[in-house]
Amino acid sequence: MNSKQKSELIKYFSKTRLDSYLFNVLVSKQFYLYKKYIKLCKKFYTKLHYFEIIFRNAIDSVLTLYVNGGDWITILPLDKDSQHKISEVRNRLSKQNKQITHDRIISELTLGFWTTLFSKRYTQWKFQSFLVKKVFKDCPKSQRNIKNIQIYVNEIREIRNRVCHYENIIHYPDINQKYKDIQTCISWISKDIAKIVK
């Protein structure tokens, strides 16, 4: 790599970003690690995509069952933050002149919204234990508890945000285990669907 190429890399990728891969080494080595990171993100992106779609649709089905077929979005006692996120989706759809349907709202809500349903803020509500039992129906009973589920879904949300916001994940010491954990979480939702998306 010549000096012009190195300066172009620094100009367009930024020294700060390249330094996050290895500090104080050759730019070419940093960029090699950056490309390795991109390949790793590509691998994660597919698995995270599957997880997010499966996870939110499983939650939607279970909560619809919980409220006997009604629209759980308007029935459940969601906190102000969750209600605000739903309102933001409604407003965005309205501004885009799209019909506001239940399915559209579900597809537009972020992974953070869905993982929040398993957070401490909802532990006093019966629907949370129903979610744990029904969404993660294929999870071994010894592992199917709210604390364990919270750990898994929060770690997945964290890695998803890093991947989708182009942040470095290459330095995680247990990165391969994190990838396996996503597949494990999918298998806890449905062993059959986990085999299909493996």
Side-chain angles (χ1 to χ4, degrees):
M1 181 176 293
N2 64 39
S3 59
K4 185 175 188 316
Q5 290 170 322
K6 288 176 187 176
S7 62
E8 289 291 292
L9 277 174
I10 291 168
K11 178 180 177 181
Y12 290 106
F13 285 91
S14 88
K15 183 168 179 4
T16 304
R17 177 172 288 275
L18 292 172
D19 280 350
S20 72
Y21 291 87
L22 269 183
F23 185 71
N24 211 15
V25 297
L26 294 173
V27 171
S28 57
K29 175 69 173 172
Q30 289 174 324
F31 194 64
Y32 165 79
L33 289 173
Y34 185 79
K35 289 192 290 187
K36 187 176 174 184
Y37 150 78
I38 296 295
K39 287 178 185 173
L40 182 61
C41 282
K42 182 179 176 184
K43 175 182 169 183
F44 265 87
Y45 185 81
T46 302
K47 189 65 71 179
L48 288 163
H49 171 84
Y50 289 143
F51 170 77
E52 190 164 348
I53 299 293
I54 292 163
F55 183 58
R56 76 177 185 215
N57 288 334
I59 293 169
D60 180 44
S61 295
V62 167
L63 289 180
T64 299
L65 178 68
Y66 182 77
V67 298
N68 299 312
D71 185 5
W72 62 266
I73 291 173
T74 58
I75 296 170
L76 289 182
L78 300 175
D79 69 7
K80 286 183 181 180
D81 184 54
S82 296
Q83 289 176 10
H84 179 70
K85 288 177 181 175
I86 292 167
S87 292
E88 285 180 332
V89 169
R90 288 180 187 277
N91 291 338
R92 187 166 57 247
L93 291 171
S94 180
K95 286 177 184 175
Q96 295 169 350
N97 293 318
K98 291 183 179 177
Q99 186 178 0
I100 300 169
T101 64
H102 179 84
D103 289 343
R104 278 212 173 107
I105 292 170
I106 297 307
S107 69
E108 293 274 340
L109 288 167
T110 65
L111 183 58
F113 173 89
W114 300 110
T115 59
T116 296
L117 296 173
F118 295 88
S119 69
K120 290 179 182 177
R121 70 172 84 167
Y122 287 117
T123 51
Q124 75 275 19
W125 299 105
K126 289 181 182 178
F127 75 80
Q128 189 184 73
S129 56
F130 191 78
L131 278 174
V132 170
K133 184 178 178 183
K134 298 291 187 181
V135 170
F136 296 99
K137 61 182 174 28
D138 289 342
C139 178
K141 286 186 180 179
S142 61
Q143 293 179 281
R144 194 173 56 208
N145 60 71
I146 189 59
K147 286 184 180 178
N148 193 44
I149 298 301
Q150 283 172 348
I151 290 167
Y152 270 83
V153 299
N154 282 324
E155 285 184 356
I156 292 170
R157 179 187 51 77
E158 180 184 307
I159 199 85
R160 182 254 182 221
N161 287 346
R162 292 191 73 84
V163 167
C164 291
H165 297 133
Y166 315 113
E167 294 176 27
N168 192 347
I169 61 169
I170 211 164
H171 295 309
Y172 276 95
D174 57 346
I175 196 68
N176 291 326
Q177 185 58 49
K178 287 187 183 297
Y179 183 81
K180 289 175 187 173
D181 287 348
I182 301 168
Q183 183 67 22
T184 297
C185 216
I186 293 171
S187 74
W188 288 352
I189 295 169
S190 167
K191 289 178 184 174
D192 292 328
I193 201 72
K195 289 174 187 172
I196 295 168
V197 301
K198 190 165 186 179

